[in-house]
Amino acid sequence: MQIPKIAMSAAVIGALSTGAAYAQDAAPDAAAAAADPYFYVFNTLLFFLGGILVMWMAAGFCMLEAGLVRSKNVSMQCLKNISLYSTGVLVYWLVGYNLMYSGVDGGWFGQIAPMTFPAPSADTGDYSLATDFFYQSMFCATAASIVSGTVAERIRLWPFLLFVVILCGAIYPVTGAWQWGGGWLSEIGFSDFAGSTLVHSVGGWAALTGALIIGARKGRYGADGRVVAMPGSSIPLATLGAFILWFGWFGFNGASQLALGTLEDAASVGRVVVNTNTAAAAGVIVSMVIMQILYKKVDVTMALNGALGGLVAITAEPLTPTFLSAAIIGGIGAALVVVTVPLLDKLKIDDVVGAIPVHLVAGIWGTLAVPFTNPDTSFSAQIIGILAVGAFTLVATGIVWFAIKATIGVRPSEEEEALGLDRAEVGVEAYPEFSAARV
């Protein structure tokens, strides 16, 4: 999802026809864009519509989490989601965008400066910089949304938002700069079309360190090792959230082609959307079949996460797979989710919504799977990218979580956690008629 630099010459179009997965890496040609404003218009339109779809994913995360937490914490999750989105966008404007894209030049990170938006001219290239920022900022907010669901029900609001500031202002932009900003990972041939690693695994690693350092919800794991069920408040809400995320993913992956000014680009966007949908559908069916075989019942929440696991897995390379390959990649992503959820409980890692299996595990698989369908990539480069991003994010987010825990604290008191964060921190209960009876 590197900033688009398409050149609308016959040479570039010919190159795209043999390596369409690299449309985002073509060279800029401001003169060509100025000569034909249609390139500028259509590319800008793609950013605009894609950004709207990805912004709608914020509502999907909110509804998914609201449905999977207990009634006494629903308002808190809604507040966290709208505030993390707002915080992430502002911080990304202040420092994140330029840190990720400005002057990286094969290095580790760019410049520390607020984003500015020049008026269109022959020097502004073949897309609107403002809509590009809008689109990119949605990805940054997505990484923070992943963390929110994992650490739900036992984290206070302001410490969480402090973590979001650092994640969106520094950690996510640095790892993004390594690839999409033209940094060192792009130099070695690492490929991540729309962010299985650079968005989803970053969020997954941050969620994992948070779950380990903050600890499990009170009462989640018994002294005898027993896992205590804590059912969510609303399966219909969670299902709605999963459908919204699925819908928004068409912008997440489709607009990551980053160009709509040629027939080749338009065809590529179509292939990306079809493969994205296929992987999600396969994820649902595979997760249902596995649940039926192993447990003789089909858990609806596992089917929802199966769809999301398929979506995350295909995100690293949604263009080059065939229909069948996309289904296989998505199905394996979902299978890994089904296997990882009980494994986390055995390790006493409390992940309320299953974000670690979906975004981290399926994200790693999807990134590893890229060379199976894209011959221009290599397993060695993919592994290096996964390990580098994972190690940096683990260390950086671990330091941040520990620092917040040691200074202002992270968790509410045991009494506040038992009461519910809706009453303890928000002051507005989502379901006041029922919350007193159901905890």
Side-chain angles (χ1 to χ4, degrees):
M1 202 183 63
Q2 185 174 321
I3 296 179
K5 301 174 180 178
I6 58 172
M8 300 305 161
S9 63
V12 173
I13 294 175
L16 287 172
S17 67
T18 58
Y22 292 98
Q24 62 269 39
D25 296 325
D29 190 341
D36 192 343
Y38 291 109
F39 299 140
Y40 187 100
V41 170
F42 280 107
N43 295 340
T44 295
L45 181 64
L46 182 67
F47 280 124
F48 174 61
L49 296 178
I52 289 173
L53 286 172
V54 182
M55 188 273 178
W56 188 228
M57 291 175 69
F61 278 112
C62 184
M63 293 299 97
L64 181 72
E65 294 171 24
L68 294 180
V69 300
R70 290 168 290 177
S71 300
K72 62 183 180 179
N73 294 306
V74 172
S75 287
M76 179 62 154
Q77 285 309 111
C78 293
L79 179 59
K80 280 169 58 184
N81 274 274
I82 195 169
S83 60
L84 76 84
Y85 170 81
S86 304
T87 300
V89 169
L90 292 175
V91 172
Y92 194 67
W93 162 77
L94 187 63
V95 292
Y97 185 90
N98 278 328
L99 189 65
M100 188 166 171
Y101 287 113
S102 180
V104 181
D105 299 329
W108 296 84
F109 55 86
Q111 301 174 357
I112 301 176
M115 183 61 190
T116 58
F117 307 106
S121 70
D123 298 324
T124 58
D126 45 18
Y127 60 94
S128 162
L129 190 59
T131 54
D132 176 67
F133 164 79
F134 171 63
Y135 183 62
Q136 308 290 353
S137 66
M138 300 301 103
F139 280 63
C140 183
T142 296
S145 297
I146 294 166
V147 184
S148 172
T150 291
V151 300
E153 301 198 294
R154 77 274 199 194
I155 187 171
R156 295 188 292 121
L157 176 64
W158 294 109
F160 174 73
L161 291 180
L162 177 58
F163 179 83
V164 171
V165 168
I166 300 171
L167 178 68
C168 294
I171 298 171
Y172 169 80
V174 167
T175 54
W178 294 353
Q179 169 65 18
W180 291 338
W184 70 275
L185 276 182
S186 67
E187 296 290 316
I188 69 169
F190 177 72
S191 179
D192 191 356
F193 189 96
S196 287
T197 285
L198 298 177
V199 178
H200 296 282
S201 287
V202 166
W205 288 118
L208 177 61
T209 56
L212 291 172
I213 293 168
I214 297 170
R217 289 168 289 176
K218 296 297 180 183
R220 174 60 172 164
Y221 302 111
D224 57 355
R226 181 171 50 92
V227 179
V228 178
M230 293 181 171
S233 62
S234 174
I235 292 300
L237 265 189
T239 305
L240 174 63
F243 270 118
I244 292 173
L245 286 168
W246 191 331
F247 176 70
W249 229 288
F250 298 137
F252 198 98
N253 285 0
S256 287
Q257 175 66 19
L258 301 181
L260 196 60
T262 68
L263 293 176
E264 180 68 30
D265 288 321
S268 294
V269 171
R271 288 196 296 270
V272 167
V273 168
V274 169
N275 282 340
T276 298
N277 193 58
T278 300
V284 173
I285 301 304
V286 168
S287 64
M288 291 174 62
V289 170
I290 294 175
M291 290 297 296
Q292 184 66 49
I293 293 172
L294 295 181
Y295 302 104
K296 309 306 178 186
K297 293 182 180 179
V298 180
D299 184 339
V300 62
T301 64
M302 200 67 79
L304 302 181
N305 277 336
L308 300 181
L311 288 164
V312 171
I314 199 63
T315 293
E317 184 48 87
L319 179 57
T320 57
T322 63
F323 187 94
L324 177 60
S325 296
I328 293 172
I329 291 169
I332 292 176
L336 291 171
V337 170
V338 174
V339 171
T340 307
V341 168
L343 176 61
L344 289 180
D345 279 332
K346 289 182 180 179
L347 298 173
K348 296 186 177 181
I349 299 174
D350 188 10
D351 181 355
V352 178
V353 302
I356 295 170
V358 168
H359 298 279
L360 176 55
V361 177
I364 291 172
W365 153 245
T367 308
L368 284 173
V370 171
F372 287 120
T373 63
N374 187 340
D376 295 325
T377 60
S378 69
F379 288 106
S380 59
Q382 297 303 98
I383 293 171
I384 290 172
I386 291 168
L387 293 177
V389 171
F392 175 82
T393 308
L394 271 174
V395 173
T397 58
I399 291 172
V400 174
W401 282 124
F402 272 122
I404 296 174
K405 183 178 180 180
T407 52
I408 63 175
V410 177
R411 293 190 74 126
S413 66
E414 290 192 22
E415 293 78 11
E416 289 173 329
E417 188 173 335
L419 180 65
L421 298 181
D422 286 6
R423 296 174 66 183
E425 284 215 36
V426 182
V428 177
E429 296 178 76
Y431 307 108
E433 297 90 349
F434 306 106
S435 59
R438 179 183 179 187
V439 297

